[in-house]
Amino acid sequence: MQSMLAAGARPRRTVTPAPLLLLAGLMLVTGIAGGLYRLGIAPAAVAATDWLGRAALAHAALMIGAFLGTVIGIERAVAVKLPAAWLAPIASALGGACLLLGQAYAGAWLGVAAAALFAAVNVVVVRRQPAVHTALLWLASVAWLGGNLLFATGAASEAVLPWWFGFLVVTIAAERAEMTRLMRRRPAAHPLLFGVLAVMYAGAAASGFAPRLGGLLYGLSLTALACWFFAFDIARRTVATNGLPRYMAVCLLAGYLWLAIGGIGWALTALGWPLRDTALHALGLGFVFSMMMAHAPVILPAVARIKIEFGRFFYVPLAALHASLLLRLAAGWFDAALRSMGAVLNAASIALFAVTLVGAAIAWHIQHDAPTVQDILHG
Amino acid sequence: MSETVSLQAAPAPVPDTRSPFPYEGPQELRRPIAEALQRVVDPEVAMSIVDVGLVYGVTVAQGRIHLLLTMTSVACPVADVIVDDVESELDRIAPPDLQIQVELVWEPPWTPARMSERAKIFMGW
């Protein structure tokens, strides 16, 4: 039987160019290496290289803009099916490469171009489907653009990071808000979400000139957003299912807990507590990477046309990520060596997740391509 | 398929929880098609595309199965994967000489009113 697609029935399927996927992967690896180098952890063979020092300096730019920004840009380009939409992830990945190669100026402004292009793509999305969640996707892209402009003009990290994390957090909030449409509409849900996000953007804006007030508002808004997710997200229901949907819900709910912790950490850091690592990594690893682990088994088939066989083993890297983060942020509070060990194990958890994905892709092929007894008997 | 395909309007919607979408075509294919589509699950919401209300209609005529499908969001990157799954599942049950055409449409926009009763109960309506 042949599938038939009449002309115009469905746009051609989009496949992410392999070099772009590889470059995004390289941004992840070098971003993690830079993060570990910041903590004084680096294999002797690479410790003396220039790129590692640059990766350490640009750790947040590599992880948020060059890796996650590229991945999110790819996701959106696959969805909108416009060739021009690919310019955004291409620019963000090349921007990261420039940062690694010592071309900081070009890297930063490629980041600005990427975010501007991405914002334009999201205008197309809003025009195609005017809705709360598409408007939030556009607002998220504007936060990324704001952060990248501040980064390119040499603003302090206290001013840049709230916008960068805002980009990720609001993108996730938009996607979750879309899912809440499947639940009975509760009148307070949207006004509460808008209120929380308004405080978040006010906090991000104030962080540039009144870091104490800005950080406090920003941190509290993150924790309030976590409460919103716990109250309104469908994960509370899908966690009662099984298989991949349950795994995704577990990732989401664990992530919301870290979002709440990261928010408190962010607010206390603004008040002078030494909790910067808690604020940044509860948010970046506990929340954002948990979301990434949730969606990778679904997104990878969409962007890379690689089929995945889901299995319970996916829980192993997930548990490893959350346990190692607990070690890093809780035990690390008392002992710097445990903090470093936690960070190494964070990286190992992400590597284990990558191996899990490769294994799941191989498992799918074994499951679906292996010849059956009938095939063998009948040649 | 060699047999004549009925295109007349269905006399009255048959209450069948396994195919809660408009269907035009041979009655013997109604159930296998509904069951095939029921097997296509959106993992994010843990429900089949039929229960979410993403299937706008199926017509079996002129040697093909034509299916109208929507998504809840235009920003959803997994649309192609779901379309692939639909094609695979239909491919398993359709007679060999029937072609399969899945058309992704955005009008009318999806609303929660399209969800099945089972889906609404699951989501706490």
Side-chain angles (χ1 to χ4, degrees), chain A residues 1-6 9-10 13-14 75-76 78-79 81 125 128-129 133 137 176 178-179 181-184 234 237-238 241 244-245 248 295 298-299 301-302 305 307, chain B residues 41 43-47 52 64 72-78 80-81 83-85 87 90-91 94-96 98-104 110 112 115 121-125:
Chain A
M1 154 107 64
Q2 293 294 312
S3 291
M4 181 196 75
L5 291 169
R10 175 153 65 91
R13 284 163 209 194
T14 323
E75 268 183 39
R76 207 61 43 82
V78 167
K81 299 182 187 301
V125 171
R128 284 187 188 173
Q129 186 183 20
H133 72 274
L137 287 173
R176 301 319 299 168
E178 193 244 323
M179 291 292 148
R181 292 199 296 160
L182 279 88
M183 291 172 81
R184 182 188 283 281
I234 64 166
R237 297 197 170 272
T238 54
T241 59
L244 180 57
M248 293 175 79
H295 290 96
V298 178
I299 295 298
R305 312 304 291 172
K307 296 276 190 181
Chain B
V41 171
E44 184 82 62
V45 297
M47 290 188 290
V52 180
R64 65 175 187 167
T72 57
S73 169
V74 295
C76 171
V78 300
D80 281 347
V81 176
V83 170
D84 277 353
D85 289 350
E87 288 179 351
L90 289 178
D91 200 43
L98 266 188
Q99 293 181 313
I100 298 166
Q101 181 186 39
V102 181
E103 187 175 348
L104 197 54
W110 178 88
M115 290 163 64
I121 290 167
F122 173 63
M123 282 294 167
W125 286 67

Side-chain angles (χ1 to χ4, degrees), chain B residues 2-118:
Chain B
S2 56
E3 63 196 273
T4 311
V5 173
S6 166
L7 282 177
Q8 82 272 13
V14 180
D16 181 351
T17 53
R18 285 166 302 184
S19 59
F21 47 79
Y23 174 83
E24 288 181 6
Q27 286 308 306
E28 65 270 23
L29 281 179
R30 173 192 280 268
R31 187 169 169 163
I33 288 175
E35 287 174 350
L37 296 176
Q38 196 68 249
R39 287 194 291 269
V40 180
V41 171
D42 181 344
E44 184 82 62
V45 297
M47 290 188 290
S48 94
I49 57 169
V50 175
D51 283 323
V52 180
L54 300 181
V55 181
Y56 278 2
V58 177
T59 306
V60 183
Q62 297 167 341
R64 65 175 187 167
I65 300 175
H66 180 233
L67 184 139
L68 294 174
L69 186 71
T70 195
M71 295 288 139
T72 57
S73 169
V74 295
C76 171
V78 300
D80 281 347
V81 176
I82 291 178
V83 170
D84 277 353
D85 289 350
V86 168
E87 288 179 351
S88 301
E89 289 298 338
L90 289 178
D91 200 43
R92 288 170 60 182
I93 57 94
D97 52 348
L98 266 188
Q99 293 181 313
I100 298 166
Q101 181 186 39
V102 181
E103 187 175 348
L104 197 54
V105 294
W106 300 102
E107 290 295 333
W110 178 88
T111 72
R114 297 196 55 82
M115 290 163 64
S116 71
E117 280 309 306
R118 181 166 49 185

Side-chain angles (χ1 to χ4, degrees), chain A residues 214-304:
Chain A
L216 187 62
L217 286 176
Y218 191 78
L220 291 177
S221 73
L222 293 177
T223 303
L225 182 62
C227 296
W228 189 91
F229 283 136
F230 279 123
F232 298 110
D233 196 89
I234 64 166
R236 281 194 308 142
R237 297 197 170 272
T238 54
V239 77
T241 59
N242 49 39
L244 180 57
R246 166 177 271 180
Y247 161 79
M248 293 175 79
V250 169
C251 292
L252 294 165
L253 294 172
Y256 299 158
L257 197 59
W258 283 115
L259 175 65
I261 293 168
I264 294 165
W266 199 293
L268 290 176
T269 302
L271 296 176
W273 290 51
L275 286 171
R276 194 165 190 269
D277 192 38
T278 302
L280 299 179
H281 292 99
L283 198 51
L285 286 171
F287 178 57
V288 176
F289 264 76
S290 204
M291 297 296 121
M292 208 191 71
M293 285 186 172
H295 290 96
V298 178
I299 295 298
L300 209 60
V303 302

